[in-house]
């Protein structure tokens, strides 16, 4: 299958300044995203997973320039959208949409559903105004709501229904890529499954590409083709779904997978409990950022930063950033818990 | 199972809230037993009444909430009939509780040590110095490094996982017999969640207390609980031991929950969601509360509410569903983990 590049992120950095002192000068930076690169192909679902503060949401927002990235490029269908003027960015936002986590905070409570959706179409000039109403009703049906609900206000809907409105809003401008930033995290499982199924159906129907940002590895395993694991602003592992779950290589990925409670009381557990907390992104550890919690860390890990690379022990599309993955996989390293 | 000593028995608990739109029955006839030294899980989605159940047990309801009926027997004593003063002797002492949000449950203007020693001073009648040194011991118990330094710190100086450890230290300061943990790890990252769950389990083994674990996460249930009560719309719909619940669940709602759960440990073709949504507490269905969403509901289910029936020989398994009663005719087909199963009435 020939894969067509849709979005290419290269050397993306997002530093947030910390102001301090008497003059309010920038005294330091939070390095939320620190030099990451990846590619998304047309029609696939790529997920970014990681714990709070790893930079996964910041990455999504930087791609859309909701916050101006500090450095790096984001090439969408051949155009570097970090270099174009702000005004022109609006044109690209037609193709790049986002669905947010909190269905209560991301829709204006004073607008009816119809006006939320027609505003999006108006800004992007999608349809002549007289055809918009029909389109709104059709969109609501697509996401599993009723056309007569178009004139209702957000408070009249449940959390799951509001998330459907958010999806309808994203769809209203015929996007190519939708960034789903923890889009199902606030929902109960029975409703979450409804929304996940809806997202999959829409992808088949409209050929959508998703960048799915989530901390829930169950959701990620269900929906993704490829998965990116982030830790403290860096990508530590990137692989197709099966390789990541069946053959994880980075010690952090392994610990993360083993930490999730399995809904099966008979499951065999070999849990790797990590010591301590995630260090501060203001002053991240030298060398490998995971070395402060890694059971295999050596002096080399403390000084030399590992790069993403593949190896004989994994598929050639699978990459991880660890100095010792071969040794760990061969059982030559002893973990120090 | 019957021979096991029970420390807390909740019987037909009814809790209502007065709202502008009328009375809302948040908990409607909940019964379960907490065996000594074991963990019972209360699992359900938002609005199922699981947190209100635990607040009713400790009588910590908001001012518009009222327990209208039932009993909560703690070692034979009905907590609902105690005076507020007697209740205060039990709360935080014999039964204590930890909450979901360690950020909002700690007082930001007192040091960690002051907050832990407050409990100790009140219940154990100790002086400042002794209470403080016991606080240090408690912090050591819950695995906080350099506890002598930490007791003097304020909550904002600690990470989320550390704050939850402090909450646990505070809850355990008076050696409670029951710990109620209301979504103790929901606000935490998975690697920190693993630490906290491990800690609770380890302390339970060492101290021999019973735990009521309130959660929406079926993974946490499978990993920590011995028995489970599944709640839906203010009622217990299924009660069993944890193995039975996951291997041989019976209530269509439990089946629906397991079918809609995306799992990280196995591949699933398609999730099977539960259609529709939870009924509004103002318009509860007259029949079975799950009937409008149930794939096997019949006319009977829509008309008449089922009782919580015992299906095992003893009370080890209970289920609120017509499908398992004598009134049910013929066979029904249900799906679990992608496989069809047949249920005979």
């Amino acid at each position: 299958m020939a894969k067509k590049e849709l979005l290419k992120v290269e050397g993306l950095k997002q530093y947030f300044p910390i102001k301090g002192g008497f003059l309010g000068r920038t005294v330091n930076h939070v390095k939320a995203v620190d030099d990451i690169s990846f590619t998304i192909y047309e029609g696939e679902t790529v997920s970014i997973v990681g714990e709070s503060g790893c930079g996964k949401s910041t990455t999504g927002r930087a791609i859309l320039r909701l916050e101006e990235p500090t450095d790096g490029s984001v090439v969408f269908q051949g155009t570097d959208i970090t270099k174009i003027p702000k005004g022109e960015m609006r044109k690209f936002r037609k193709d790049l949409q986002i669905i947010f986590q909190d269905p209560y905070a991301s829709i204006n409570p004073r607008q009816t559903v119809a006006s939320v959706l027609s505003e999006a179409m108006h800004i992007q000039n999608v349809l002549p105004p007289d055809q918009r109403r029909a389109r709104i009703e059709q969109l609501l049906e697509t996401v599993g709501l009723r056309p007569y609900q178009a004139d209702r206000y957000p408070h009249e809907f449940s959390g799951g229904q509001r998330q459907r409105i958010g999806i309808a809003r994203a769809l209203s401008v015929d996007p190519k890529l939708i960034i789903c930033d923890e889009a199902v995290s606030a929902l109960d499982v029975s409703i979450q499954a409804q929304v996940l199924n809806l997202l999959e159906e829409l992808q088949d129907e409209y050929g959508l590409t998703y960048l799915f940002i989530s901390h829930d590895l169950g959701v990620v395993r269900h929906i993704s083709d490829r998965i990116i694991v982030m830790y403290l602003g860096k990508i530590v592992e990137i692989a197709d779904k099966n390789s990541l779950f069946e053959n994880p290589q980075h010690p952090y990925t392994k610990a993360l997978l083993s930490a999730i409670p399995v809904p099966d009381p008979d499951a065999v557990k070999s849990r790797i409990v990590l010591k301590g907390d995630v260090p501060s992104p203001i002053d991240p550890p030298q060398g490998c950022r995971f070395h402060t919690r890694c059971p295999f860390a050596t002096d080399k890990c403390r000084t030399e930063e590992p790069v993403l690379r593949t190896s004989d022990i994994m598929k050639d599309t699978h990459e991880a950033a660890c100095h010792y993955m071969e040794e760990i996989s061969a059982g030559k390293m002893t973990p120090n818990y | 199972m019957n021979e096991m000593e029970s420390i807390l028995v909740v019987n037909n608990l009814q809790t209502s809230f007065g709202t502008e739109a009328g009375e809302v029955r948040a908990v409607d006839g909940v019964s379960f037993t907490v065996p000594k030294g074991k963990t019972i899980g209360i699992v359900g989605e938002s609005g199922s009444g699981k947190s209100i159940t635990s607040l009713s047990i400790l009588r910590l309801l908001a001012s518009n909430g009222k327990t209208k009926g039932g009993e909560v027997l703690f070692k034979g004593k009905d907590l609902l009939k105690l005076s507020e003063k007697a209740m205060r002797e039990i709360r935080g002492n014999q039964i204590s509780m930890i909450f979901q949000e360690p950020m909002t449950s700690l007082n930001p203007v007192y040091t960690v040590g002051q907050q832990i020693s407050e409990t100790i001073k009140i219940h154990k009648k100790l002086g400042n110095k002794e209470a403080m040194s016991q606080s240090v011991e408690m912090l050591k118990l819950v695995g906080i490094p350099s506890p002598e330094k930490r007791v003097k710190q304020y909550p904002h100086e600690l990470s989320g996982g550390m704050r939850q450890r402090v909450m646990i230290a505070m809850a355990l300061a008076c050696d409670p017999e029951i710990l109620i943990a209301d979504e103790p790890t929901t606000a935490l990252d998975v690697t920190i969640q693993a630490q906290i769950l491990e800690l609770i389990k380890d302390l339970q083994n060492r101290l021999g207390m019973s735990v009521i674990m309130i959660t929406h996460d079926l993974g946490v249930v499978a990993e920590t609980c011995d028995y489970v009560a599944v709640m839906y719309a203010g009622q217990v719909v299924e009660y069993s031991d944890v193995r039975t619940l996951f291997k041989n669940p019976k209530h269509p709602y439990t089946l629906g929950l397991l079918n809609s759960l995306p799992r990280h440990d196995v591949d699933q073709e398609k999730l099977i969601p539960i259609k529709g949504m939870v009924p509004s507490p103002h318009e509860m269905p007259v029949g079975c509360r799950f009937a409008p969403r149930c794939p096997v509901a019949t006319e009977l289910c829509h008309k008449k509410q089922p009782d919580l029936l015992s299906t095992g020989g003893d009370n080890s398994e209970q289920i609120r569903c017509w499908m398992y009663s004598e009134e049910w005719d013929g066979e029904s087909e249900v799906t679990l983990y992608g496989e069809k199963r047949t249920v005979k009435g």
Side-chain angles (χ1 to χ4, degrees), chain A residues 16-30 282:
Chain A
F16 296 107
I18 301 167
K19 309 274 189 200
F22 174 59
L23 294 169
R25 286 202 193 102
T26 300
V27 288
N28 214 331
H29 287 94
V30 174
I282 298 170

Side-chain angles (χ1 to χ4, degrees), chain B residues 47-109:
Chain B
S48 61
K50 53 190 194 303
S51 289
I52 300 301
T53 301
S54 65
L55 293 174
S56 306
I57 292 171
L58 276 180
R59 291 175 44 190
L60 288 171
L61 294 169
S63 57
N64 63 339
K66 199 166 169 7
T67 304
K68 295 248 163 117
E71 48 186 12
V72 177
L73 300 171
F74 173 62
K75 298 202 282 191
K77 249 185 311 185
D78 189 354
L79 297 184
L80 300 178
K81 295 210 171 70
L82 291 183
S83 69
E84 181 52 37
K85 187 159 173 270
M87 193 61 213
R88 224 178 282 160
E89 291 288 311
I90 289 174
R91 215 186 275 139
N93 193 16
Q94 288 166 294
I95 307 178
S96 57
M97 184 159 182
I98 50 177
F99 299 91
Q100 171 172 359
E101 280 285 335
M103 334 276 166
T104 48
S105 328
L106 289 168
N107 192 328
V109 299

Side-chain angles (χ1 to χ4, degrees), chain A residues 6-276:
Chain A
L6 185 69
L7 185 90
K8 196 177 170 90
V9 172
E10 221 155 341
L12 186 71
K13 285 184 189 170
Q14 182 66 274
Y15 292 179
F16 296 107
I18 301 167
K19 309 274 189 200
F22 174 59
L23 294 169
R25 286 202 193 102
T26 300
V27 288
N28 214 331
H29 287 94
V30 174
K31 294 173 181 136
V33 174
D34 202 1
D35 195 3
I36 67 166
S37 305
F38 60 91
T39 306
I40 300 174
Y41 299 97
E42 226 162 68
E44 70 171 350
T45 302
V46 176
S47 291
I48 304 183
V49 296
E51 298 178 284
S52 19
C54 73
K56 54 189 191 301
S57 289
T58 308
T59 304
R61 298 178 65 89
I63 290 171
L64 287 179
R65 286 176 69 186
L66 295 179
E67 270 111 25
E68 287 297 320
T70 312
D71 197 13
S73 65
V74 177
V75 178
F76 178 75
Q77 292 190 316
T79 315
D80 183 353
I81 54 175
T82 58
K83 304 286 186 301
I84 57 172
K86 260 207 148 144
E88 250 178 74
M89 188 60 207
R90 182 166 276 180
K91 212 169 68 199
F92 285 91
R93 291 219 177 93
K94 181 182 170 304
D95 291 330
L96 298 164
Q97 282 289 310
I98 185 163
I99 306 167
F100 296 99
Q101 168 169 9
D102 189 345
Y104 293 86
S106 52
I107 299 168
N108 187 340
R110 298 177 64 166
Q111 277 183 308
T112 61
V113 174
S115 97
V116 167
L117 298 181
S118 67
E119 186 180 28
M121 287 190 262
H122 168 73
I123 290 169
Q124 294 297 351
N125 208 2
V126 183
L127 275 178
D130 56 331
Q131 290 173 31
R132 280 183 198 147
R133 180 72 197 193
R135 168 82 170 145
I136 287 167
E137 292 183 356
Q138 182 215 334
L139 277 167
L140 289 180
E141 276 190 340
T142 311
V143 299
L145 295 170
R146 305 275 155 73
Y148 68 80
Q149 292 174 313
D151 296 309
R152 296 197 175 170
Y153 286 91
H155 74 264
E156 298 175 74
F157 294 90
S158 68
Q161 288 177 324
R162 275 183 228 206
Q163 205 54 294
R164 289 173 192 267
I165 298 169
I167 295 171
R169 176 172 61 185
L171 284 178
S172 66
V173 296
D174 297 320
K176 294 197 172 71
L177 175 76
I178 299 182
I179 297 177
C180 304
D181 187 359
E182 300 275 12
V184 296
S185 307
L187 308 176
D188 276 321
V189 274
S190 68
I191 306 297
Q192 175 178 288
Q194 294 173 359
V195 175
L196 283 175
N197 283 350
L198 171 67
L199 287 171
E200 285 182 319
E201 285 157 23
L202 294 173
Q203 179 164 44
D204 291 343
E205 201 173 326
Y206 300 101
L208 295 170
T209 307
Y210 292 134
L211 175 61
F212 209 87
I213 296 166
S214 179
H215 70 282
D216 184 331
L217 281 130
V219 169
V220 162
R221 178 167 192 158
H222 185 75
I223 201 152
S224 316
D225 298 307
R226 287 192 303 132
I227 297 165
I228 295 168
V229 183
M230 284 185 76
Y231 183 77
L232 215 54
K234 292 269 185 198
I235 294 178
V236 296
E237 188 153 4
I238 178 165
D240 63 273
K241 172 173 73 180
N242 288 335
S243 305
L244 192 95
F245 281 96
E246 305 303 337
N247 188 27
Q249 291 302 330
H250 198 283
Y252 176 65
T253 313
K254 290 181 190 174
L256 192 65
L257 290 175
S258 83
I260 312 163
V262 183
D264 178 358
D266 289 346
V268 191
K269 284 153 209 160
S270 52
R271 172 154 299 162
I272 310 163
V273 175
L274 289 177
K275 301 170 285 194

Side-chain angles (χ1 to χ4, degrees), chain B residues 234-280:
Chain B
Q235 298 179 322
V236 173
V237 294
E238 182 160 4
Y239 176 86
S240 73
D241 65 276
V242 70
R243 258 201 110 247
T244 309
L245 190 90
F246 283 92
K247 298 295 167 187
N248 195 12
K250 298 201 173 58
H251 197 283
Y253 175 63
T254 316
L255 292 162
L257 275 185
L258 291 167
N259 285 331
S260 51
L261 183 70
R263 295 179 53 161
H264 75 282
D265 58 329
V266 284
D267 270 323
Q268 290 148 294
E269 259 307 297
K270 187 112 183 126
L271 302 174
I272 311 168
I274 305 173
K275 65 179 184 195
M277 50 190 172
V278 179
S280 146

